[in-house]
Amino acid sequence: MVKAYLRYEFSSAFGVISSSANPAYDASGKLLFTSALECISVWNAKQGSLVRTLSPVVASSSGGSGSSAAVAEVTVMTCAPTGSIIAAGYSDGTVRLWDYQSGDCAVTFKGHKSAVSSLRYHGGGALLASGGRDTDVIVWDVVGETGLYRLRGHKDQVTDLTFLPRQSKLVSCSKDGLVKVWDLDTQHCCQTVGGYKAEVWSLDVHPEAALLVTGATDDEIRMFAVRDPESADAGDAEPSTAAAAGTGTGAGGRDHTVLVAMGAVKRGAASHERVALLRFSGGGGWLAVQGAGRGLEMFRVRDEDEARRKMKRRKKRRKEKSSKKEKEGKGKGKAGAAADSDDEDDAAGVGAADDGEDGIKAGDVLEAVQLISSKHGKIRAFAFAPPAARLPAGVACRLALALATNQIEVVDVSSESPEYATSSRLELPGHRSDVRCLALSPDDSALLTGSSDALKLWNPRTGACLATMDSGYALSVLFVPGNKFAVLGTKAGSLEVYDLGAATRVHVEEGAHGGAVWSLAALPDKSGFVSGGADKSVKFWQWSVVTTAGAGAEGGGRSLRLAHSRTVAMADDVLSVRVSPDGRLLAVALLDATVKVYYADSMKFFLSLYGHKLPVLCMDISSDSTLLLTGSSDKNIKVWGLDFGDCHKSLFAHGDAIMSVAWVPGTHYAFSAGKDRLLKYWDLDRFELLLELPGHHGELWALGVSQFGDFVVTGSHDRSIRRWERTAEPFFVEEERERRLESLFEQDLENTAADRDAAALGGEGAEGGAAAPAGRRTLETVSAADSIIDALEAAALEMDRLRQADKEAAEAERAGKPPPRPLPINAVMGGMPPSAYVLKVVSGVRASELEQAVMLLPFADALKLLSYLPRWLEAGGPAVELTVRLAVLLVRLHQGALQTTAAARPVMLGLQRRLRRAAQGLKDVVGFNMAALGHLARRARERDGGTEADGVAGVKRQLMGPA
């Protein structure tokens, strides 16, 4: 009989406050979003409490799919200007739109072939642009939930992008050293700005003024004036300035220049570092420039009047200096005088491009104010609080700094003096570095994790951090019987004792070992524990209770101490120690790749286990004390019998060193964790791999299994602690093995399809920049195309059956025979008419996958689908929008074939008669509704004492965003 097992699935992850992506505020400033590997954490910005976690793993498993595939990490985030939507880009090239109020993933866009590096919303929130490491820029229709087009032209990773206000333009920068301006109406690059020495890392546009700034690897912040070619004359920009800005003159002599250079501002103390990120504040009064190091430079943005006054003073001083030099007779002339810059201009950072030019320059607009740094770690990214956030008096702006040490620091910049102060910090719910060791309490109610500087106590079921204690560099940890104290082994060789109730360190046993304490193992009789260290010794310790003098705590000041009872010297460094549950044997793993087994009471040698090619890093003894499981740097696990020391089985388990192994209590099932980021579940009676549990984004250092085996916790280099829970879902080993093979095949198939699409689109407009389809062929789009083809075939068979029945009924009527029996209901179609059935199947395809699915249809099936569109238009209802979109897609894709196919002519004529009328009716409904909303807004404004213009402007802002 085939044996069934119960499945373990990912349950929750905690311990990560901020990972690699940038933080983001919502429009109100009340919520702060941070990336926690594949999840998004929603924090209450004022209270510093976790409100919600947006997890794609939980969202996918809630549908019953049971997928165990690893989910990509969040790389970039941006919040929609209106509503409760936040967009997140992932390292696998997907873009997800989350409703952070409900916690649901609203839309998933798949278009990039590699990680998404930048995201930006249009001012109204209807469009979303994404740039990826695959050098492409994709514009997505958020409302229609589909990709509009792909802009190809960059030669390297797209690092940042932004929409230009009041224009249908998009600006992107790349590691190829170019800034490109894209015309979204023609879907082509209309201007390319060069002149950078190396990569351009970030850019941003001023929310009010027509200014754009860029940051690269040098010490300058370049500024450009944003010009609208549609409203400006061709001669507005001076020829020299237009040439400096880049190419933009069309064939007809018309100037298409959008970005006009205004010079550069030199950065301050952090100028030796490249720009990592720069952003304007929500009101536009500040510009923050983050370097690749620890500094964040703040620039104050002068308003137009102040900038003009600064420009006039600069010109006046330059004129005075020129006159003075002429009087002194230095003979350098006007050109030489214009080339010398004023000292104050140099201090303001006016670049060489400013000399000799009229008008407002970058140094007139930007004023360097201060350098913000954090003593708690390197700044990885930042975000300005929006203008709607209520800031205290005297605070000009507020920034949330995401530090590389897994914490968030909120900084307030003073408006009265160039000072800043930390208003709050999120640091307690996570470690500053790797989770190196962990231990579950005997009753599974508490979890201890240790890192390089702290020991934390958690509730393993809820993920709540109960206490944080400063510690040395933790390598091993152990609960003391009673769960009130804990012992920690450190890299320095000391043993530290902690009172968990008071969250304090009560004792340090200095010099317990002469090297790192790699392992701790409790004695089954609860009298003490055994420690193994890098000083080639195994030491036995006993619990000792002492009364501390002058203690004010309850219980008479009783505290725990350690009493050393015995030392056993070994031939090499001790990497792991384990005591059998029956207390009879002690296993010691040494650096020479052997395991020595002793009698625990007398330390008399019993067995020597050799066979690993590299040192054994971890081991565990089964609950019945009969089997020893070892994991090694040679990527193998071995199962040993403790009666004769024979090796029952050697299994190639992981792709890298195995860092932790543990038996499930009461069974011969076991878990192993390795540096290959995988947790694996084994049946070591049958020596079979049961499950692979991916999910971590870094090396696994430790794992712990609960006393009943109902959940497992793991700690990793990515600073996350993950909980894997046993479910009631059974599975079979053969099915799981086939499933793993299918997933590998599907991944390979998807990569091959992506490469084929890239080759088909390669070279299209690569030089000047052109558009291509936005979507990407995935397994979902192939499945959607197959379902549409199957529906068309089923509908065609049903129509043939209906026609045959009608023919038989007509013949029977002519012959005077009784009519034949009615046809039975088609169970496949659920009794639906063919047209309604095809509409149901097509409507079931996700809007973001529909274009790619239609592209995969052969022309014969596309023509069949096209023939259904006039019937759907006659029915009206919600199918009109879908029908219009399908008609545009099919005609655009098969235009040449439709022109040469005679059978397509009546279909196209019938579609032409109905399509415009149906689309106009839908447009009239939308216009009527907008007029009604405007009327309601005017009534509300009048009731509140406002004007009619305010009401109309408010409705337009809510529906279409700012102009």
Side-chain angles (χ1 to χ4, degrees), residues 153-159 172-180 192-201 203 214-218 222 224:
H154 283 293
K155 302 295 181 59
D156 208 335
Q157 170 185 334
V158 178
T159 53
S172 63
C173 62
S174 169
K175 289 174 70 175
D176 60 6
L178 299 176
V179 176
K180 287 183 175 289
T192 299
V193 180
Y196 294 92
K197 297 179 181 178
E199 300 94 345
V200 185
W201 285 98
L203 58 82
T214 63
T217 55
D218 53 17
R222 290 175 172 83
F224 299 87

PDB file of all heavy atoms in Angstrom, residues 153-159 172-180 192-201 203 214-218 222 224:
ATOM      1  N   GLY A 153      14.975  50.686 -25.962  1.00  0.00           N
ATOM      2  CA  GLY A 153      15.968  51.633 -26.459  1.00  0.00           C
ATOM      3  C   GLY A 153      17.190  51.725 -25.575  1.00  0.00           C
ATOM      4  O   GLY A 153      18.280  52.025 -26.048  1.00  0.00           O
ATOM      5  N   HIS A 154      17.038  51.472 -24.279  1.00  0.00           N
ATOM      6  CA  HIS A 154      18.192  51.492 -23.385  1.00  0.00           C
ATOM      7  C   HIS A 154      19.047  50.247 -23.614  1.00  0.00           C
ATOM      8  O   HIS A 154      18.536  49.174 -23.966  1.00  0.00           O
ATOM      9  CB  HIS A 154      17.735  51.564 -21.932  1.00  0.00           C
ATOM     10  CG  HIS A 154      17.281  52.938 -21.522  1.00  0.00           C
ATOM     11  ND1 HIS A 154      18.139  54.016 -21.435  1.00  0.00           N
ATOM     12  CD2 HIS A 154      16.056  53.403 -21.154  1.00  0.00           C
ATOM     13  CE1 HIS A 154      17.465  55.087 -21.048  1.00  0.00           C
ATOM     14  NE2 HIS A 154      16.204  54.746 -20.871  1.00  0.00           N
ATOM     15  N   LYS A 155      20.321  50.378 -23.346  1.00  0.00           N
ATOM     16  CA  LYS A 155      21.264  49.278 -23.546  1.00  0.00           C
ATOM     17  C   LYS A 155      21.657  48.599 -22.238  1.00  0.00           C
ATOM     18  O   LYS A 155      22.423  47.645 -22.253  1.00  0.00           O
ATOM     19  CB  LYS A 155      22.527  49.802 -24.229  1.00  0.00           C
ATOM     20  CG  LYS A 155      22.289  50.461 -25.562  1.00  0.00           C
ATOM     21  CD  LYS A 155      21.778  49.489 -26.596  1.00  0.00           C
ATOM     22  CE  LYS A 155      21.574  50.171 -27.934  1.00  0.00           C
ATOM     23  NZ  LYS A 155      22.776  50.784 -28.490  1.00  0.00           N
ATOM     24  N   ASP A 156      21.171  49.105 -21.126  1.00  0.00           N
ATOM     25  CA  ASP A 156      21.497  48.520 -19.826  1.00  0.00           C
ATOM     26  C   ASP A 156      20.311  48.730 -18.897  1.00  0.00           C
ATOM     27  O   ASP A 156      19.270  49.271 -19.300  1.00  0.00           O
ATOM     28  CB  ASP A 156      22.770  49.154 -19.258  1.00  0.00           C
ATOM     29  CG  ASP A 156      23.529  48.219 -18.327  1.00  0.00           C
ATOM     30  OD1 ASP A 156      22.879  47.319 -17.753  1.00  0.00           O
ATOM     31  OD2 ASP A 156      24.751  48.387 -18.164  1.00  0.00           O
ATOM     32  N   GLN A 157      20.469  48.317 -17.654  1.00  0.00           N
ATOM     33  CA  GLN A 157      19.368  48.363 -16.675  1.00  0.00           C
ATOM     34  C   GLN A 157      18.758  49.749 -16.562  1.00  0.00           C
ATOM     35  O   GLN A 157      19.462  50.756 -16.481  1.00  0.00           O
ATOM     36  CB  GLN A 157      19.904  47.929 -15.312  1.00  0.00           C
ATOM     37  CG  GLN A 157      18.933  48.156 -14.161  1.00  0.00           C
ATOM     38  CD  GLN A 157      19.549  47.817 -12.826  1.00  0.00           C
ATOM     39  OE1 GLN A 157      20.452  47.003 -12.754  1.00  0.00           O
ATOM     40  NE2 GLN A 157      19.073  48.426 -11.770  1.00  0.00           N
ATOM     41  N   VAL A 158      17.435  49.809 -16.576  1.00  0.00           N
ATOM     42  CA  VAL A 158      16.714  51.062 -16.335  1.00  0.00           C
ATOM     43  C   VAL A 158      16.718  51.309 -14.829  1.00  0.00           C
ATOM     44  O   VAL A 158      16.204  50.499 -14.058  1.00  0.00           O
ATOM     45  CB  VAL A 158      15.276  50.983 -16.870  1.00  0.00           C
ATOM     46  CG1 VAL A 158      14.525  52.261 -16.570  1.00  0.00           C
ATOM     47  CG2 VAL A 158      15.277  50.701 -18.366  1.00  0.00           C
ATOM     48  N   THR A 159      17.319  52.405 -14.402  1.00  0.00           N
ATOM     49  CA  THR A 159      17.494  52.663 -12.977  1.00  0.00           C
ATOM     50  C   THR A 159      16.384  53.508 -12.362  1.00  0.00           C
ATOM     51  O   THR A 159      16.103  53.373 -11.181  1.00  0.00           O
ATOM     52  CB  THR A 159      18.845  53.346 -12.734  1.00  0.00           C
ATOM     53  OG1 THR A 159      18.941  54.505 -13.579  1.00  0.00           O
ATOM     54  CG2 THR A 159      19.990  52.400 -13.063  1.00  0.00           C
ATOM     55  N   SER A 172      13.212  58.394 -18.604  1.00  0.00           N
ATOM     56  CA  SER A 172      13.869  57.254 -17.972  1.00  0.00           C
ATOM     57  C   SER A 172      15.375  57.443 -18.033  1.00  0.00           C
ATOM     58  O   SER A 172      15.899  58.103 -18.933  1.00  0.00           O
ATOM     59  CB  SER A 172      13.483  55.940 -18.671  1.00  0.00           C
ATOM     60  OG  SER A 172      13.922  55.944 -20.012  1.00  0.00           O
ATOM     61  N   CYS A 173      16.065  56.872 -17.049  1.00  0.00           N
ATOM     62  CA  CYS A 173      17.522  56.886 -17.040  1.00  0.00           C
ATOM     63  C   CYS A 173      18.022  55.465 -16.848  1.00  0.00           C
ATOM     64  O   CYS A 173      17.289  54.592 -16.365  1.00  0.00           O
ATOM     65  CB  CYS A 173      18.068  57.801 -15.950  1.00  0.00           C
ATOM     66  SG  CYS A 173      17.619  57.331 -14.262  1.00  0.00           S
ATOM     67  N   SER A 174      19.276  55.252 -17.226  1.00  0.00           N
ATOM     68  CA  SER A 174      19.775  53.885 -17.280  1.00  0.00           C
ATOM     69  C   SER A 174      21.256  53.847 -16.930  1.00  0.00           C
ATOM     70  O   SER A 174      21.945  54.874 -16.877  1.00  0.00           O
ATOM     71  CB  SER A 174      19.539  53.296 -18.676  1.00  0.00           C
ATOM     72  OG  SER A 174      20.216  52.071 -18.842  1.00  0.00           O
ATOM     73  N   LYS A 175      21.725  52.630 -16.707  1.00  0.00           N
ATOM     74  CA  LYS A 175      23.145  52.423 -16.462  1.00  0.00           C
ATOM     75  C   LYS A 175      23.970  52.567 -17.744  1.00  0.00           C
ATOM     76  O   LYS A 175      25.201  52.506 -17.690  1.00  0.00           O
ATOM     77  CB  LYS A 175      23.375  51.037 -15.849  1.00  0.00           C
ATOM     78  CG  LYS A 175      22.881  50.927 -14.416  1.00  0.00           C
ATOM     79  CD  LYS A 175      22.982  49.526 -13.872  1.00  0.00           C
ATOM     80  CE  LYS A 175      24.404  49.106 -13.655  1.00  0.00           C
ATOM     81  NZ  LYS A 175      24.501  47.774 -13.019  1.00  0.00           N
ATOM     82  N   ASP A 176      23.313  52.757 -18.884  1.00  0.00           N
ATOM     83  CA  ASP A 176      24.055  53.008 -20.121  1.00  0.00           C
ATOM     84  C   ASP A 176      24.487  54.462 -20.246  1.00  0.00           C
ATOM     85  O   ASP A 176      25.078  54.851 -21.270  1.00  0.00           O
ATOM     86  CB  ASP A 176      23.235  52.599 -21.337  1.00  0.00           C
ATOM     87  CG  ASP A 176      21.914  53.358 -21.445  1.00  0.00           C
ATOM     88  OD1 ASP A 176      21.674  54.280 -20.637  1.00  0.00           O
ATOM     89  OD2 ASP A 176      21.110  53.017 -22.334  1.00  0.00           O
ATOM     90  N   GLY A 177      24.199  55.288 -19.211  1.00  0.00           N
ATOM     91  CA  GLY A 177      24.645  56.670 -19.208  1.00  0.00           C
ATOM     92  C   GLY A 177      23.770  57.612 -20.001  1.00  0.00           C
ATOM     93  O   GLY A 177      24.193  58.726 -20.322  1.00  0.00           O
ATOM     94  N   LEU A 178      22.530  57.211 -20.303  1.00  0.00           N
ATOM     95  CA  LEU A 178      21.626  58.036 -21.093  1.00  0.00           C
ATOM     96  C   LEU A 178      20.344  58.319 -20.334  1.00  0.00           C
ATOM     97  O   LEU A 178      19.888  57.496 -19.539  1.00  0.00           O
ATOM     98  CB  LEU A 178      21.291  57.354 -22.422  1.00  0.00           C
ATOM     99  CG  LEU A 178      22.457  57.067 -23.376  1.00  0.00           C
ATOM    100  CD1 LEU A 178      21.952  56.315 -24.593  1.00  0.00           C
ATOM    101  CD2 LEU A 178      23.147  58.353 -23.791  1.00  0.00           C
ATOM    102  N   VAL A 179      19.787  59.497 -20.609  1.00  0.00           N
ATOM    103  CA  VAL A 179      18.445  59.860 -20.143  1.00  0.00           C
ATOM    104  C   VAL A 179      17.577  60.005 -21.376  1.00  0.00           C
ATOM    105  O   VAL A 179      17.899  60.776 -22.287  1.00  0.00           O
ATOM    106  CB  VAL A 179      18.465  61.171 -19.329  1.00  0.00           C
ATOM    107  CG1 VAL A 179      17.057  61.585 -18.949  1.00  0.00           C
ATOM    108  CG2 VAL A 179      19.330  61.016 -18.087  1.00  0.00           C
ATOM    109  N   LYS A 180      16.473  59.271 -21.423  1.00  0.00           N
ATOM    110  CA  LYS A 180      15.608  59.279 -22.604  1.00  0.00           C
ATOM    111  C   LYS A 180      14.235  59.834 -22.250  1.00  0.00           C
ATOM    112  O   LYS A 180      13.690  59.541 -21.180  1.00  0.00           O
ATOM    113  CB  LYS A 180      15.449  57.858 -23.177  1.00  0.00           C
ATOM    114  CG  LYS A 180      16.695  57.334 -23.888  1.00  0.00           C
ATOM    115  CD  LYS A 180      16.468  55.968 -24.495  1.00  0.00           C
ATOM    116  CE  LYS A 180      17.686  55.520 -25.292  1.00  0.00           C
ATOM    117  NZ  LYS A 180      17.854  56.286 -26.534  1.00  0.00           N
ATOM    118  N   THR A 192      17.138  62.212 -26.444  1.00  0.00           N
ATOM    119  CA  THR A 192      18.130  61.466 -25.680  1.00  0.00           C
ATOM    120  C   THR A 192      19.156  62.441 -25.134  1.00  0.00           C
ATOM    121  O   THR A 192      19.743  63.221 -25.896  1.00  0.00           O
ATOM    122  CB  THR A 192      18.832  60.416 -26.550  1.00  0.00           C
ATOM    123  OG1 THR A 192      17.861  59.477 -27.037  1.00  0.00           O
ATOM    124  CG2 THR A 192      19.870  59.657 -25.748  1.00  0.00           C
ATOM    125  N   VAL A 193      19.368  62.426 -23.853  1.00  0.00           N
ATOM    126  CA  VAL A 193      20.314  63.318 -23.191  1.00  0.00           C
ATOM    127  C   VAL A 193      21.538  62.507 -22.804  1.00  0.00           C
ATOM    128  O   VAL A 193      21.429  61.511 -22.076  1.00  0.00           O
ATOM    129  CB  VAL A 193      19.692  63.980 -21.940  1.00  0.00           C
ATOM    130  CG1 VAL A 193      20.700  64.901 -21.261  1.00  0.00           C
ATOM    131  CG2 VAL A 193      18.444  64.751 -22.318  1.00  0.00           C
ATOM    132  N   GLY A 194      22.692  62.926 -23.298  1.00  0.00           N
ATOM    133  CA  GLY A 194      23.942  62.258 -22.981  1.00  0.00           C
ATOM    134  C   GLY A 194      24.851  63.163 -22.178  1.00  0.00           C
ATOM    135  O   GLY A 194      24.408  64.071 -21.481  1.00  0.00           O
ATOM    136  N   GLY A 195      26.138  62.896 -22.269  1.00  0.00           N
ATOM    137  CA  GLY A 195      27.111  63.720 -21.573  1.00  0.00           C
ATOM    138  C   GLY A 195      27.496  63.220 -20.199  1.00  0.00           C
ATOM    139  O   GLY A 195      28.318  63.859 -19.524  1.00  0.00           O
ATOM    140  N   TYR A 196      26.926  62.104 -19.758  1.00  0.00           N
ATOM    141  CA  TYR A 196      27.292  61.549 -18.462  1.00  0.00           C
ATOM    142  C   TYR A 196      28.507  60.648 -18.629  1.00  0.00           C
ATOM    143  O   TYR A 196      28.636  59.914 -19.609  1.00  0.00           O
ATOM    144  CB  TYR A 196      26.134  60.754 -17.871  1.00  0.00           C
ATOM    145  CG  TYR A 196      24.929  61.599 -17.529  1.00  0.00           C
ATOM    146  CD1 TYR A 196      23.909  61.786 -18.456  1.00  0.00           C
ATOM    147  CD2 TYR A 196      24.807  62.209 -16.289  1.00  0.00           C
ATOM    148  CE1 TYR A 196      22.807  62.561 -18.161  1.00  0.00           C
ATOM    149  CE2 TYR A 196      23.702  62.984 -15.983  1.00  0.00           C
ATOM    150  CZ  TYR A 196      22.706  63.154 -16.916  1.00  0.00           C
ATOM    151  OH  TYR A 196      21.603  63.922 -16.619  1.00  0.00           O
ATOM    152  N   LYS A 197      29.378  60.665 -17.623  1.00  0.00           N
ATOM    153  CA  LYS A 197      30.603  59.872 -17.703  1.00  0.00           C
ATOM    154  C   LYS A 197      30.332  58.390 -17.508  1.00  0.00           C
ATOM    155  O   LYS A 197      31.069  57.549 -18.005  1.00  0.00           O
ATOM    156  CB  LYS A 197      31.598  60.368 -16.655  1.00  0.00           C
ATOM    157  CG  LYS A 197      32.049  61.811 -16.873  1.00  0.00           C
ATOM    158  CD  LYS A 197      33.011  62.255 -15.785  1.00  0.00           C
ATOM    159  CE  LYS A 197      33.433  63.703 -15.994  1.00  0.00           C
ATOM    160  NZ  LYS A 197      34.338  64.167 -14.894  1.00  0.00           N
ATOM    161  N   ALA A 198      29.305  58.057 -16.743  1.00  0.00           N
ATOM    162  CA  ALA A 198      29.011  56.651 -16.456  1.00  0.00           C
ATOM    163  C   ALA A 198      27.512  56.520 -16.203  1.00  0.00           C
ATOM    164  O   ALA A 198      26.715  57.266 -16.771  1.00  0.00           O
ATOM    165  CB  ALA A 198      29.830  56.161 -15.265  1.00  0.00           C
ATOM    166  N   GLU A 199      27.135  55.590 -15.341  1.00  0.00           N
ATOM    167  CA  GLU A 199      25.728  55.280 -15.124  1.00  0.00           C
ATOM    168  C   GLU A 199      24.952  56.471 -14.545  1.00  0.00           C
ATOM    169  O   GLU A 199      25.480  57.240 -13.744  1.00  0.00           O
ATOM    170  CB  GLU A 199      25.581  54.098 -14.166  1.00  0.00           C
ATOM    171  CG  GLU A 199      26.227  52.809 -14.659  1.00  0.00           C
ATOM    172  CD  GLU A 199      27.627  52.662 -14.139  1.00  0.00           C
ATOM    173  OE1 GLU A 199      28.165  53.678 -13.648  1.00  0.00           O
ATOM    174  OE2 GLU A 199      28.185  51.550 -14.215  1.00  0.00           O
ATOM    175  N   VAL A 200      23.700  56.596 -14.971  1.00  0.00           N
ATOM    176  CA  VAL A 200      22.760  57.546 -14.369  1.00  0.00           C
ATOM    177  C   VAL A 200      21.852  56.733 -13.454  1.00  0.00           C
ATOM    178  O   VAL A 200      21.153  55.823 -13.904  1.00  0.00           O
ATOM    179  CB  VAL A 200      21.940  58.287 -15.436  1.00  0.00           C
ATOM    180  CG1 VAL A 200      21.073  59.356 -14.790  1.00  0.00           C
ATOM    181  CG2 VAL A 200      22.859  58.913 -16.478  1.00  0.00           C
ATOM    182  N   TRP A 201      21.849  57.064 -12.161  1.00  0.00           N
ATOM    183  CA  TRP A 201      21.219  56.191 -11.174  1.00  0.00           C
ATOM    184  C   TRP A 201      19.837  56.647 -10.742  1.00  0.00           C
ATOM    185  O   TRP A 201      19.033  55.835 -10.297  1.00  0.00           O
ATOM    186  CB  TRP A 201      22.114  56.052  -9.948  1.00  0.00           C
ATOM    187  CG  TRP A 201      23.278  55.157 -10.191  1.00  0.00           C
ATOM    188  CD1 TRP A 201      24.550  55.528 -10.517  1.00  0.00           C
ATOM    189  CD2 TRP A 201      23.282  53.728 -10.175  1.00  0.00           C
ATOM    190  NE1 TRP A 201      25.338  54.422 -10.701  1.00  0.00           N
ATOM    191  CE2 TRP A 201      24.591  53.302 -10.489  1.00  0.00           C
ATOM    192  CE3 TRP A 201      22.307  52.772  -9.906  1.00  0.00           C
ATOM    193  CZ2 TRP A 201      24.943  51.957 -10.541  1.00  0.00           C
ATOM    194  CZ3 TRP A 201      22.672  51.440  -9.962  1.00  0.00           C
ATOM    195  CH2 TRP A 201      23.961  51.038 -10.279  1.00  0.00           C
ATOM    196  N   LEU A 203      16.543  59.942 -11.045  1.00  0.00           N
ATOM    197  CA  LEU A 203      16.022  61.225 -11.515  1.00  0.00           C
ATOM    198  C   LEU A 203      14.668  61.473 -10.869  1.00  0.00           C
ATOM    199  O   LEU A 203      14.007  60.542 -10.386  1.00  0.00           O
ATOM    200  CB  LEU A 203      15.922  61.259 -13.044  1.00  0.00           C
ATOM    201  CG  LEU A 203      15.080  60.203 -13.775  1.00  0.00           C
ATOM    202  CD1 LEU A 203      13.602  60.544 -13.795  1.00  0.00           C
ATOM    203  CD2 LEU A 203      15.564  60.052 -15.208  1.00  0.00           C
ATOM    204  N   THR A 214      18.829  64.998 -12.184  1.00  0.00           N
ATOM    205  CA  THR A 214      19.384  63.662 -12.366  1.00  0.00           C
ATOM    206  C   THR A 214      20.639  63.522 -11.521  1.00  0.00           C
ATOM    207  O   THR A 214      21.341  64.508 -11.264  1.00  0.00           O
ATOM    208  CB  THR A 214      19.733  63.393 -13.847  1.00  0.00           C
ATOM    209  OG1 THR A 214      20.759  64.304 -14.259  1.00  0.00           O
ATOM    210  CG2 THR A 214      18.512  63.552 -14.727  1.00  0.00           C
ATOM    211  N   GLY A 215      20.923  62.301 -11.106  1.00  0.00           N
ATOM    212  CA  GLY A 215      22.121  62.001 -10.344  1.00  0.00           C
ATOM    213  C   GLY A 215      22.840  60.813 -10.940  1.00  0.00           C
ATOM    214  O   GLY A 215      22.213  59.807 -11.302  1.00  0.00           O
ATOM    215  N   ALA A 216      24.161  60.924 -11.044  1.00  0.00           N
ATOM    216  CA  ALA A 216      24.958  59.869 -11.669  1.00  0.00           C
ATOM    217  C   ALA A 216      26.091  59.464 -10.724  1.00  0.00           C
ATOM    218  O   ALA A 216      25.979  59.605  -9.505  1.00  0.00           O
ATOM    219  CB  ALA A 216      25.491  60.349 -13.016  1.00  0.00           C
ATOM    220  N   THR A 217      27.175  58.984 -11.295  1.00  0.00           N
ATOM    221  CA  THR A 217      28.294  58.520 -10.478  1.00  0.00           C
ATOM    222  C   THR A 217      29.264  59.639 -10.115  1.00  0.00           C
ATOM    223  O   THR A 217      30.166  59.429  -9.311  1.00  0.00           O
ATOM    224  CB  THR A 217      29.067  57.436 -11.235  1.00  0.00           C
ATOM    225  OG1 THR A 217      29.471  57.948 -12.512  1.00  0.00           O
ATOM    226  CG2 THR A 217      28.202  56.209 -11.450  1.00  0.00           C
ATOM    227  N   ASP A 218      29.105  60.825 -10.711  1.00  0.00           N
ATOM    228  CA  ASP A 218      30.020  61.928 -10.416  1.00  0.00           C
ATOM    229  C   ASP A 218      29.510  62.748  -9.245  1.00  0.00           C
ATOM    230  O   ASP A 218      28.560  62.359  -8.557  1.00  0.00           O
ATOM    231  CB  ASP A 218      30.204  62.800 -11.661  1.00  0.00           C
ATOM    232  CG  ASP A 218      28.882  63.271 -12.251  1.00  0.00           C
ATOM    233  OD1 ASP A 218      27.859  63.197 -11.534  1.00  0.00           O
ATOM    234  OD2 ASP A 218      28.858  63.703 -13.418  1.00  0.00           O
ATOM    235  N   ARG A 222      22.638  67.321 -11.888  1.00  0.00           N
ATOM    236  CA  ARG A 222      22.289  68.097 -13.076  1.00  0.00           C
ATOM    237  C   ARG A 222      20.808  68.436 -13.058  1.00  0.00           C
ATOM    238  O   ARG A 222      19.984  67.604 -12.685  1.00  0.00           O
ATOM    239  CB  ARG A 222      22.636  67.308 -14.342  1.00  0.00           C
ATOM    240  CG  ARG A 222      24.128  67.162 -14.583  1.00  0.00           C
ATOM    241  CD  ARG A 222      24.395  66.276 -15.783  1.00  0.00           C
ATOM    242  NE  ARG A 222      25.785  66.245 -16.177  1.00  0.00           N
ATOM    243  CZ  ARG A 222      26.711  65.470 -15.620  1.00  0.00           C
ATOM    244  NH1 ARG A 222      26.352  64.651 -14.644  1.00  0.00           N
ATOM    245  NH2 ARG A 222      27.961  65.509 -16.038  1.00  0.00           N
ATOM    246  N   PHE A 224      17.469  70.210 -15.298  1.00  0.00           N
ATOM    247  CA  PHE A 224      16.924  70.513 -16.620  1.00  0.00           C
ATOM    248  C   PHE A 224      15.589  71.230 -16.452  1.00  0.00           C
ATOM    249  O   PHE A 224      14.810  70.916 -15.532  1.00  0.00           O
ATOM    250  CB  PHE A 224      16.698  69.233 -17.437  1.00  0.00           C
ATOM    251  CG  PHE A 224      17.949  68.448 -17.705  1.00  0.00           C
ATOM    252  CD1 PHE A 224      18.405  67.508 -16.795  1.00  0.00           C
ATOM    253  CD2 PHE A 224      18.674  68.656 -18.867  1.00  0.00           C
ATOM    254  CE1 PHE A 224      19.548  66.780 -17.036  1.00  0.00           C
ATOM    255  CE2 PHE A 224      19.824  67.928 -19.123  1.00  0.00           C
ATOM    256  CZ  PHE A 224      20.268  66.999 -18.208  1.00  0.00           C
TER     257      PHE A 224
END
